Amino acid sequence: MACAAPLAAAGTFKIDLSTSLYITPQEPGPVPQAAQDLASDLQKVFGRPVAIVNDPAKAHATTIWISSGDDLPASVQKPSGWEKLHIQAVNHPASGSPAVHAVVLTGSDMRGTLFAIYQFSQKFLGVDPLYWWTDHQPRRRVSVSLSDDLSETQGPTFKYRGFFINDEDLLTGWAPGKKTGISLKVWNRVYEAILRLKGDMVCPGTWIFPDDPQITLAAERGLIITKHHAIPLAVYVPRWPKDCPYTYH
C-alpha cells in the first residue's frame, strides 16, 4: 500500500529594523496616512524607524508591501466584495526587486486595504486599536516572526459601521478647536480609532455644515460621512445665516 508523503512544515521569516515598508506611489491619500500609522507602530515595537520606500527596486530583503491593487505581486489575488482585507506572505514579490520575503497588505477596495494595514498592526505587532485613548503601548521586541504560508482574508458583517460622537461639545474644554468643537488633532485620533476598529463611517459632530474642517479631514482619512437627527439633510438650523433663505436645496 502506498503511503502519502508528509506535508512540509511551513517556514518563517522575521520583520525587524532591517525591514522596509513599501507603498506604491499611486495609492489614494488615506492609504499613505494609514501606512504612516503603521510606520509609527513599527517604531514603537522596534525602537527606531524602518525605511519607507516607493520603488520596488529599493525594497529590502524583507518588506511589508502595501498596495490596493496597482502593484500587487502576481501570486496575490485581491478579494472581492465590500471592504474585505487580505494579508498574505509571498516570496520574491516582484521581478527585479531585492525583496525575498514580503507580507502583502491589500483589500478588495481602498478601505479594505486600510483595514489590512491596521489588522496587521493589531494582530502581529500587538497595537491596541484604542492605544491613544487607553495609553496602552505595544511590547518592545527585536523582531516579529511570520509564517511563510500566512494568508488571511476577512470582511465586515455589517456594511456601515462607525461612531456618532454625541454631545462632543463636552470635550471642547479638554481639546478645544476653532469652528470644529474638538481640535482637529483630536478629531484625527477619533478617525484613526474608527479605522483601527474596522469602522468605515463617522458623524463628525453635531452642529456642523458640510464644509467644516473636521468633515474634510474625515474624508481625507477615507471615512464615509453621515448625519443625524439634529441636522437633517446636513442643514444646521441654529447656525443658519439670517440673511439667507432657509432651504434644503
Side-chain angles (χ1 to χ4, degrees):
M1 182 177 66
C3 296
L7 295 175
T12 61
F13 63 97
K14 294 181 179 181
I15 58 171
D16 53 26
L17 280 174
S18 66
T19 299
S20 62
L21 182 58
Y22 167 69
I23 178 170
T24 60
Q26 299 83 13
E27 292 298 328
V31 177
Q33 291 192 62
Q36 287 293 334
D37 289 339
L38 177 56
S40 176
D41 295 344
L42 290 164
Q43 183 171 353
K44 292 173 186 174
V45 172
F46 298 139
R48 296 199 306 275
V50 301
I52 301 176
V53 299
N54 298 115
D55 183 347
K58 296 180 181 179
H60 295 185
T62 303
T63 296
I64 300 171
W65 192 288
I66 297 175
S67 173
S68 60
D70 292 336
D71 196 17
L72 282 175
S75 59
V76 176
Q77 184 173 359
K78 285 165 57 75
S80 60
W82 175 263
E83 296 179 351
K84 287 187 177 180
L85 66 85
H86 183 65
I87 301 172
Q88 182 177 336
V90 299
N91 293 326
H92 305 288
S95 176
S97 173
V100 177
H101 300 289
V103 55
V104 179
L105 310 180
T106 187
S108 59
D109 49 29
M110 182 269 293
R111 275 186 293 272
T113 303
L114 299 182
F115 299 150
I117 294 170
Y118 292 121
Q119 174 72 359
F120 178 83
S121 189
Q122 180 181 357
K123 184 172 182 177
F124 297 102
L125 301 181
V127 176
D128 179 357
L130 295 173
Y131 75 93
W132 195 80
W133 305 89
T134 63
D135 288 330
H136 292 166
Q137 296 299 322
R139 178 170 59 91
R140 184 69 64 84
R141 286 179 279 180
V142 174
S143 65
V144 173
S145 294
L146 301 176
S147 174
D148 280 337
D149 64 357
L150 170 63
S151 182
E152 175 181 342
T153 302
Q154 60 173 274
T157 301
F158 298 96
K159 188 169 186 178
Y160 299 111
R161 314 155 315 277
F163 287 178
F164 166 26
I165 313 298
N166 196 18
D167 295 326
E168 77 280 355
D169 51 312
L170 298 178
L171 297 175
T172 57
W174 170 60
K178 295 181 179 179
K179 297 182 180 181
T180 61
I182 311 169
S183 72
L184 281 180
K185 176 183 177 181
V186 172
W187 273 120
N188 190 49
R189 295 297 188 176
V190 170
Y191 303 154
E192 178 189 346
I194 294 172
L195 292 167
R196 284 183 182 269
L197 291 168
K198 318 299 190 303
D200 60 4
M201 182 177 67
V202 66
C203 180
T206 301
W207 309 119
I208 53 177
F209 277 126
D211 59 350
D212 281 348
Q214 70 268 39
I215 295 184
T216 301
L217 180 60
E220 290 173 351
R221 270 293 196 170
L223 289 167
I224 300 167
I225 309 299
T226 188
K227 306 296 178 181
H228 60 86
H229 62 278
I231 44 174
L233 300 182
V235 176
Y236 173 31
V237 179
R239 272 175 62 193
W240 196 263
K242 293 182 178 180
D243 58 349
C244 182
Y246 185 73
T247 177
Y248 284 112
H249 299 290

